[in-house]
Amino acid sequence: SLSMYLENKSNLEMEMSQTSAQGHQGRSSLRAPEAVAGNFGELRLLQGISERRDTQKLQQSAVLPSGQCVIHTEGFVPVRQEDGHSFSVVNFLRGKTNSANLTERSPLLRFSQDDSITYMTLHDPSFVGGEEPWDNGSLDLERRYRLGSEVTSLSLSRSSSSEKSDPLDNLNLNFKLTSSMRCCFRASKIATIFTIVVLCSLFFSMYPDRDNPWRMLAVSSTDSFSMNLTEFRDNALLKLQVAGPFTGGMIDLTNQEYILVQVEQIEQPGQRRRRTQQVIYNWTIPLHGERSEQILVTKTFEMLSSDPIVVTVQAFLQDNEVVPLSMTHQSLYVSVETQVAIAGIILAGVYVLIIFEIVHRTLAAMLGSLAALAALAVIGDRPSLVTVVEWIDYETLALLFGMMVLVAIFSETGFFDYCAVKAYQLSKGRVWPMIIILCLIAAILSAFLDNVTTMMLFTPVTIRLCEVLNLDPRHVLIAEVIFTNIGGAATAVGDPPNVIIVSNQDLRKEGIDFASFTGYMFLGICLVLFTSFPFLRMLYWNKKLYNKESIEIVELKHEILVWRQTAQRINPASREETAVKCLLMQKVLNLESLLRKMMKTFQRFFCNKHSNYNTNTISYHWEIQKQISQEDKNWEQNIQELQKKHRITDKVLLVKCVSVLGVVIFMFFVNSFVPSIHLELGWIAILGALWLLVLADIQDFEIILHRVEWATLLFFAGLFVLMEALAQLQLIDYIGEQTALLIKAVPEDQRLAIAIILVMWVSALASSLIDNIPFTATMIPVLINLSQDADVNLPVKPLIFALAMGACLGGNGTLIGASANVVCAGIAEQHGYGFSFMEFFR
């Protein structure tokens, strides 16, 4: 833990008394080399906390062991308001300070090393605070805590906007909307969402879990099974679930064994109907040749009335063996169309919450899951908690968690900074060659690796590189994600939908195996890549890529954001933590004040120099472009400076990290091609994380856990539950059936072309809105049925390639369309460069 030692009280008070005199001495006093405790109001609050250590301080200040950290203030002098502006002007016009030990990202902290002591110097000449130092009483501590709370609540209310832009950018909007209107809007938003959540909770709690027990039965060629269902409502749906040794997809009834389930209802003549009505449904389920694994299949039937229903199960087998089955039934009280409408409304609601950033996307996914579960409860199909937990794809979560731990330890080596400088050196300071190389490497890697892994390794490198070049990382990251998703579609192992397609037994019989699928898709994806690069170049001109402000303002804005996020993460459980939170919040306020002065100075400088606004704007951008071109010319000099700063900090740890990561990536490859290794991607990532934790000898485990993006993991868990609940509400089946009906309606001579276009675009739009894994799994049987329908007469291969192309590339449609998008946004957010749903969507 960081120990902060202050000078003894007598020196401190003596220096405080000198402050007012030194404050009026002009700028010569700003460079005073002696330690000056000017305006120590923010730091003195630590005094009260460390009073019990007063007796130890003199001894420790005399003999300090190596590695201790001491507060040492240099040039830390209060500036009067009239001096503040002139200093900012001089500071800005002078550009970056010449001090060698000023860190690149933080103009406020500098580190200097001598033989035994590390000095952390608070270097901010325009740090303006209160005139009176805070006292140490409990009342004052409460006042400080209140300040921290107020500032925290203020910044929390703005945090959604501050992720993308500084609150100062929205000053005009703030002036237009009065504070009362904003409060009303916020209160109404919270009230509306809370009302919906309470209603969903009530609906969910009013209905029991589906309690119909599973019925075990066995059928053979000679023995069939029959049962009567009596307790039934008018106009209800009967949902049957049968588990047995089944295969997926459609069958050819001439040469395979199958089970036939017959559902029959006879409505007796009564008041409403004069004649007897009868419905009979035949449901054919193919059996697996080896009778190996149990597969659960579900089908819903529309019934006429509340009259009894007869369910008969028959087996059509080639020999006299017995097939064991289990079956359960459920009464649903809402028609399929209504269920689909409810699912559509829930999905639209989740997207509204995410698009307009009303709540964080993780909370939006959780609220959507709750609404979908409440809807299932109302229609009579409420799942149990065990079932809901089973819906979560733990392999994906394990892969994400394992890779997050690996990358967190890897980033401690300084390797990402080193890579960024090397990429800058290879591109010779030119931005576009560098971006194209990054995107191309991302696309090639993701063709063989998981997209999530690729983005986890690329995002930190890209962010450091953009910081070095004064680029906006958001644009480059979005480009990389898009190319990662494109590259993932190229091979059978690059994206989960492709894996589902290649592992389907029925499609293997049609000749779609690993080699043929990769051959077809690789060629198509190469064409997509070649057409995507010109589009990317048209989308991003240099003026959009470079930051529109000078590097000083960009750094200051980013620093404010990082300090605020750091403060928000501290939960004030003790007096020490409360004090630290107050310090950080006071620093945020002071930095924002400094930024306002800088912005005003900019405007005043250009307004004095140029007569009208248009000239002002043009010249401002011209100055920035001049600065950029100057940076481009000096790239060799920049590289020499950067190589001194960004070296590998821990070579031993780097060797350990590269070794473990190499083994993990090699195992990812081997897992795709060697079936005898019984490890999924999630297990490989978790085992790799364990190896590296042991090898790296991690003592402070909490630091690593803080680097894991729990919000992203929770978002995926919520999304899995939401998508499975929407599938239970028949949404995905409905999309598949409607697509099949549309294809059947087309004249036969144009049917194949229309079918390919329709399947690709429906897949692309659907997988940008809902998860592409359940959608692909649902569409495969639909397309196989369509190809085997004698009336339609379509080959299955082109339809499957259209499905794969649409499902993989459709992930680029929205921020939550693909896992890699969400992971990249999460990592960028941790670095202070989060991008919104709409930024990605545009």
Side-chain angles (χ1 to χ4, degrees), residues 197-369:
V197 169
V198 169
L199 284 173
C200 289
S201 306
L202 283 172
F203 284 135
F204 186 71
S205 60
M206 281 163 60
Y207 297 91
D209 288 350
R210 51 175 180 238
D211 53 356
N212 287 352
W214 285 87
R215 189 186 292 262
M216 313 304 289
L217 55 122
V219 289
S220 65
S221 300
T222 52
D223 295 328
S224 61
F225 168 83
S226 184
M227 68 173 178
N228 286 341
L229 308 177
T230 51
E231 297 172 4
F232 217 67
R233 293 190 190 178
D234 275 356
N235 298 325
L237 299 173
L238 173 66
K239 180 182 179 181
L240 276 185
Q241 288 182 290
V242 185
F246 305 132
T247 61
M250 184 60 183
I251 52 158
D252 179 10
L253 299 183
T254 55
N255 59 7
Q256 267 193 325
E257 303 172 315
Y258 59 94
I259 298 288
L260 180 68
V261 180
Q262 193 174 61
V263 180
E264 182 180 9
Q265 186 183 45
I266 299 172
E267 188 185 22
Q268 298 301 329
Q271 294 178 352
R272 287 183 298 174
R273 298 192 182 277
R274 293 178 183 177
R275 289 188 294 179
T276 302
Q277 276 206 328
Q278 181 180 12
V279 287
I280 299 175
Y281 296 103
N282 289 323
W283 179 22
T284 305
I285 313 169
L287 286 167
H288 197 277
E290 296 175 4
R291 309 276 191 272
S292 54
E293 53 182 324
Q294 288 274 318
I295 290 180
L296 180 67
V297 289
T298 307
K299 191 153 187 176
T300 308
F301 306 95
E302 290 185 15
M303 308 316 294
L304 293 169
S305 63
S306 55
D307 288 340
I309 298 163
V310 180
V311 178
T312 310
V313 183
Q314 296 171 289
F316 292 84
L317 307 172
Q318 292 171 357
D319 48 24
N320 290 328
E321 63 181 358
V322 175
V323 178
L325 303 172
S326 51
M327 186 165 70
T328 185
H329 69 277
Q330 194 73 23
S331 304
L332 308 182
Y333 310 127
V334 175
S335 67
V336 173
E337 286 78 10
T338 313
Q339 287 183 45
V340 171
I342 292 169
I345 290 166
I346 291 169
L347 191 62
V350 170
Y351 269 89
V352 166
L353 290 178
I354 294 174
I355 289 169
F356 297 106
E357 294 176 23
I358 297 168
V359 296
H360 191 274
R361 59 174 171 267
T362 304
L363 183 57
M366 292 164 75
L367 294 176
S369 304

Side-chain angles (χ1 to χ4, degrees), residues 39 58 103 110 288 520 544 548 648 653 749 780 792:
N39 185 22
L58 286 169
T103 61
R110 35 192 232 176
H288 197 277
Y520 276 102
K544 287 187 180 178
K548 294 184 175 68
I648 304 289
L653 182 60
D749 54 337
I780 289 170
V792 180

Side-chain angles (χ1 to χ4, degrees), residues 409-665:
I409 301 172
F410 202 9
S411 62
E412 298 294 321
T413 62
F415 182 73
F416 294 137
D417 291 14
Y418 175 78
C419 283
V421 175
K422 278 292 171 196
Y424 184 35
Q425 192 173 0
L426 282 172
S427 64
K428 297 185 177 178
R430 289 174 298 172
V431 173
W432 269 103
M434 185 193 68
I435 292 174
I436 288 169
I437 289 166
L438 280 174
C439 290
L440 200 59
I441 294 170
I444 292 166
L445 268 180
S446 62
F448 302 100
L449 276 183
D450 187 73
N451 297 0
V452 169
T453 308
T454 307
M455 281 321 296
M456 277 189 182
L457 296 172
F458 262 73
T459 307
V461 177
T462 306
I463 288 172
R464 292 299 298 122
L465 186 55
C466 291
E467 285 175 349
V468 163
L469 293 174
N470 193 26
L471 294 176
D472 189 345
R474 296 177 186 92
H475 300 309
V476 186
L477 287 175
I478 289 171
E480 275 181 15
V481 167
I482 288 170
F483 279 89
T484 303
N485 289 330
I486 292 172
T491 63
V493 293
D495 231 1
N498 294 1
V499 176
I500 292 169
I501 288 168
V502 171
S503 56
N504 187 286
Q505 294 298 323
D506 294 302
L507 293 176
R508 288 205 170 175
K509 289 173 190 168
E510 297 284 346
I512 300 177
D513 57 4
F514 184 93
S516 68
F517 182 86
T518 304
Y520 276 102
M521 288 294 288
F522 188 79
L523 189 64
I525 291 301
C526 284
L527 293 172
V528 173
L529 270 178
F530 286 133
T531 51
S532 297
F533 278 118
F535 274 115
L536 178 71
R537 190 69 181 85
M538 284 166 59
L539 197 64
Y540 294 155
W541 293 112
N542 278 353
K543 61 182 179 183
K544 287 187 180 178
L545 284 177
Y546 280 104
N547 285 313
K548 294 184 175 68
E549 285 138 347
S550 75
I551 196 159
E552 285 86 358
I553 287 186
V554 170
E555 284 186 357
L556 192 54
K557 281 188 175 183
H558 186 246
E559 189 169 2
I560 289 169
L561 179 60
V562 171
W563 280 108
R564 182 184 284 122
Q565 284 181 344
T566 308
Q568 283 171 12
R569 287 183 188 131
I570 295 175
N571 294 319
S574 63
R575 290 177 76 234
E576 288 87 347
E577 285 175 332
T578 306
V580 171
K581 186 159 191 165
C582 294
L583 264 177
L584 294 176
M585 279 310 181
Q586 184 64 44
K587 188 171 183 67
V588 168
L589 290 176
N590 284 314
L591 285 175
E592 285 188 343
S593 161
L594 178 65
L595 181 59
R596 281 193 197 92
K597 289 177 197 168
M598 264 196 178
M599 300 289 275
K600 282 178 189 172
T601 309
F602 254 136
Q603 290 165 7
R604 196 177 296 125
F605 175 72
F606 280 112
C607 286
N608 291 340
K609 198 171 177 181
H610 303 284
S611 54
N612 58 33
Y613 176 77
N614 291 329
T615 318
N616 174 5
T617 313
I618 291 163
S619 60
Y620 174 74
H621 288 293
W622 181 75
E623 289 280 338
I624 300 300
Q625 289 299 327
K626 198 164 76 174
Q627 180 190 340
I628 289 161
S629 61
Q630 196 64 31
E631 284 180 7
D632 287 347
K633 283 174 191 169
N634 299 339
W635 70 273
E636 288 177 345
Q637 187 183 343
N638 289 348
I639 281 173
Q640 288 172 2
E641 289 174 13
L642 291 166
Q643 281 175 338
K644 288 175 193 170
K645 283 181 188 175
H646 303 297
R647 291 178 177 170
I648 304 289
T649 53
D650 191 338
K651 289 183 180 175
V652 177
L653 182 60
L654 177 65
V655 170
K656 293 173 181 176
C657 288
V658 169
S659 307
V660 172
L661 197 65
V663 170
V664 167
I665 289 172

Side-chain angles (χ1 to χ4, degrees), residues 761-775:
W761 278 98
V762 167
S763 306
L765 292 172
S767 57
S768 68
L769 296 174
I770 54 181
D771 194 12
N772 57 11
I773 296 171
F775 179 78

